[in-house]
C-alpha cells in the first residue's frame, strides 16, 4: 500500500470551506470572472467582504467601486452588494447559481446574507463525469498509485467523486494477469490534492466491493480523512529513512548536473536499460521511433536527443534539509503579459484584455511545470505542462508530460522507468 502521511496531515485543516486570501491565484480568477459576469460599463474593483471555496462551490459577497474615481458602483442611487453563490463548471468557469444581491445607501451598510460554511452539503463529494476537467488528473493519480507492472493501466470506473481537496475512486483494472496478483484487480483509492492529485491510500481486492457506496454527496472530506487514517499503517517496511532520502537527493543532483552538461557517459551509466515504451516520444522524428524500447545501442546513437528530452529535470530544486524536491513553474507569459487583467471569453480557452477601450483576444496557454516526491522506495518526478494560472489553456492541451522514476540499485541512483501521460 502506498501512503502519504505528511500530505494527510497537511490537508486536515481544510475540511470546511477555505477562505481565499489575497495572494491565492484562485481568488483573482474568481474576481476577474465576476467582473466579466457583471459586465459593468467601466472597469471596477471589488471590495470583498467574503470569498470562500469548498470543492466546486464558492460564496462571494462584495461591494464594488469604479476605477475612474467616481466611487462605489450604484444603481438608481443605491450601492450594490453583490451577494452570490457560485458553481464551477466542467470547463472551469465560475457562474452564479443563487443571487442574493441587495442595495444599500452606502458601502458601510453592506451585509452578506450567508456564507458557504452554513451549507453542510457543500463539503460532500461531487461525481466526476466523463467530460469533467478533473477526471483525467484524478485517473492519472490512480494510475501512478497502481502497484503492478503495467506501463499504462486502464480502469473501469465504478465511483469517482471529489470534494475539491479530496477525492474517492473505486473501480476495476482491465487486463491485469500475473501469478502474484491474480484476481486482485479491483481498487479502492482515497486521493488528496496538493499541487496535483496524489493517492493517500490504495486497497487492491479480489471482489469489487467499494468502501463507500450510495450517493456521492453523502461522502464528506472528514469521511475520507478518517478512512485514509485507518488504512495508513503505523510502520511501512518500504518507507525510506531520512538518511537514504538525503543520499538519493544528492545523487539526483549529480544526475541533474550530467543533464545540464551533456555528460552522456554518466547518463548512460545511470539508466536501467532497456527503457520500455518511450522510443515513440524520446526518439520522435527518427527512423527508430517505432522501436519497442531504447537499448544501450540506441542511446549511443541518439544520446543528445534523449538528453534534450530529460533537460527539464535540471529545473527542479533540491532541499536537502527538508529532504524534498522543490517544484518549478515556468510561465509562458512575459512580465508585461502577466501584468495585464484578463477576462474569459465565451469560447473555451479564449480570453481577452483591454487596450484602452478595445478588447484584445488571446488564447489560453500552458506553463512548463515539474514536481517530485518520494513514493515507497522510489523518487518519482513529473516534468511536463500545466495550465497557466492567469489564462489557463485547455486541459486536453496542457495536462501532459512524463513521470520519471529513480530507484537505488546497489547504492546507486538509477533512472529505472519513464511513463508518458496526457
Amino acid at each position: 500500500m502506498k501512503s502519504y502521511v505528511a500530505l494527510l496531515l497537511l490537508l486536515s485543516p481544510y475540511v470546511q470551506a477555505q477562505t481565499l486570501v489575497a495572494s491565492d491565484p484562485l481568488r483573482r480568477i474568481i474576481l476577474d470572472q465576476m467582473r466579466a459576469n457583471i459586465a459593468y460599463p467601466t472597469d471596477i474593483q471589488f471590495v470583498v467582504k467574503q470569498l470562500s471555496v469548498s470543492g466546486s462551490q464558492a460564496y462571494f459577497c462584495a461591494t464594488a467601486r469604479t476605477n475612474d474615481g467616481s466611487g462605489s458602483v450604484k444603481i438608481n442611487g443605491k450601492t450594490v452588494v453583490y451577494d452570490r453563490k457560485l458553481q464551477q463548471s466542467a470547463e472551469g468557469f465560475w457562474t452564479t447559481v443563487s443571487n442574493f444581491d441587495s442595495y444599500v445607501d452606502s458601502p458601510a451598510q453592506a451585509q452578506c446574507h450567508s456564507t458557504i460554511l452554513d451549507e453542510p452539503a457543500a463539503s460532500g463529494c461531487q461525481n466526476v463525469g466523463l467530460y469533467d476537467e478533473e477526471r483525467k488528473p484524478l485517473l492519472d493519480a490512480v494510475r501512478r498509485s497502481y502497484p503492478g507492472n503495467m506501463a499504462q493501466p486502464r480502469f473501469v470506473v465504478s465511483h469517482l467523486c471529489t470534494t475539491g481537496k479530496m477525492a474517492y475512486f473505486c473501480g476495476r483494472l482491465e487486463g491485469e494477469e500475473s501469478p502474484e496478483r491474480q484476481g486482485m484487480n479491483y481498487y479502492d483509492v482515497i486521493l488528496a490534492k496538493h499541487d496535483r492529485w496524489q493517492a493517500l491510500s490504495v486497497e487492491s481486492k479480489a471482489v469489487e466491493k467499494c468502501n463507500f457506496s450510495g450517493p456521492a454527496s453523502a461522502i464528506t472530506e472528514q469521511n475520507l480523512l478518517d478512512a485514509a487514517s485507518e488504512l495508513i499503517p503505523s510502520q511501512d517496511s518500504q518507507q525510506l529513512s531520512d538518511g537514504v532520502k538525503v543520499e538519493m537527493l544528492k545523487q539526483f543532483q549529480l544526475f541533474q548536473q550530467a543533464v545540464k552538461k551533456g555528460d552522456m557517459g554518466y547518463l548512460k551509466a545511470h539508466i536501467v536499460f532497456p527503457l520500455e515504451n518511450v522510443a515513440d516520444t524520446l526518439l520522435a522524428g527518427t527512423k527508430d521511433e517505432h522501436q519497442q524500447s531504447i537499448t544501450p545501442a540506441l542511446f549511443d546513437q541518439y544520446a543528445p536527443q534523449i538528453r534534450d528530452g530529460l533537460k527539464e529535470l535540471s529545473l527542479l530544486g533540491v532541499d536537502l534539509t527538508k529532504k524534498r524536491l522543490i517544484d518549478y513553474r515556468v510561465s509562458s507569459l512575459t512580465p508585461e503579459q502577466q501584468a495585464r487583467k484578463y477576462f474569459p471569453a465565451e469560447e473555451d480557452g479564449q480570453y481577452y484584455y483591454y487596450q484602452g477601450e478595445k478588447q484584445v483576444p488571446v488564447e489560453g496557454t500552458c506553463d512548463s511545470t515539474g514536481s517530485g516526491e518520494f513514493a515507497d522506495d522510489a523518487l518519482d518526478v513529473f516534468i511536463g505542462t500545466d495550465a497557466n494560472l492567469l489564462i489557463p489553456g485547455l486541459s486536453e492541451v496542457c495536462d501532459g508530460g512524463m513521470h520519471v522514476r529513480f530507484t537505488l540499485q546497489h547504492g546507486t541512483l538509477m533512472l529505472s522507468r519513464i511513463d508518458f501521460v496526457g
Side-chain angles (χ1 to χ4, degrees), residues 47-51 59-64 78-85 99-115 118:
V47 180
V48 177
K49 296 180 71 64
Q50 291 188 43
L51 179 53
Y59 179 68
F60 170 82
C61 180
T63 59
K78 295 283 190 177
T79 295
V80 185
V81 182
Y82 296 101
D83 193 348
R84 305 184 180 193
K85 180 179 175 181
N99 188 325
F100 307 98
D101 289 2
S102 59
Y103 305 90
V104 293
D105 291 328
S106 70
Q109 297 175 323
Q111 296 290 327
C112 300
H113 96 283
S114 184
T115 169
D118 295 334

Side-chain angles (χ1 to χ4, degrees), residues 115-130:
T115 169
I116 199 169
L117 291 172
D118 295 334
E119 304 173 25
S123 61
C125 207
Q126 303 297 314
N127 285 318
V128 179
L130 286 173

Side-chain angles (χ1 to χ4, degrees), residues 236-346:
D236 188 344
S237 60
Q238 291 184 309
Q239 190 173 15
L240 299 170
S241 69
D242 287 348
V244 172
K245 289 180 179 179
V246 171
E247 180 59 27
M248 291 176 73
L249 290 175
K250 287 180 178 178
Q251 293 193 37
F252 179 72
Q253 287 179 310
L254 296 176
F255 194 95
Q256 288 180 303
Q257 292 173 15
V259 170
K260 285 182 181 179
K261 297 177 180 178
D263 186 344
M264 306 307 179
Y266 185 97
L267 296 180
K268 184 179 180 181
H270 290 80
I271 294 176
V272 177
F273 294 103
L275 276 177
E276 302 288 349
N277 304 312
V278 295
D280 58 342
T281 301
L282 291 181
L283 304 185
T286 73
K287 63 181 178 64
D288 292 307
E289 64 181 353
H290 301 299
Q291 295 290 333
Q292 181 67 27
S293 60
I294 295 179
T295 63
L298 285 175
F299 180 90
D300 290 341
Q301 188 175 353
Y302 298 106
Q305 182 167 330
I306 294 171
R307 175 254 183 184
D308 285 344
L310 301 173
K311 63 183 180 182
E312 290 189 353
L313 288 173
S314 62
L315 298 179
L316 286 157
V318 176
D319 188 334
L320 295 177
T321 302
K322 296 184 178 180
K323 297 172 284 294
R324 66 182 182 91
L325 293 178
I326 302 171
D327 298 355
Y328 73 85
R329 175 181 287 271
V330 180
S331 177
S332 58
L333 302 180
T334 66
E336 180 182 3
Q337 291 170 327
Q338 293 181 54
R340 294 170 180 156
K341 291 183 178 180
Y342 296 92
F343 305 92
E346 293 183 359

Side-chain angles (χ1 to χ4, degrees), residues 381-393:
V381 176
F382 170 81
I383 54 175
T385 56
D386 197 2
N388 181 267
L389 297 178
L390 290 179
I391 48 174

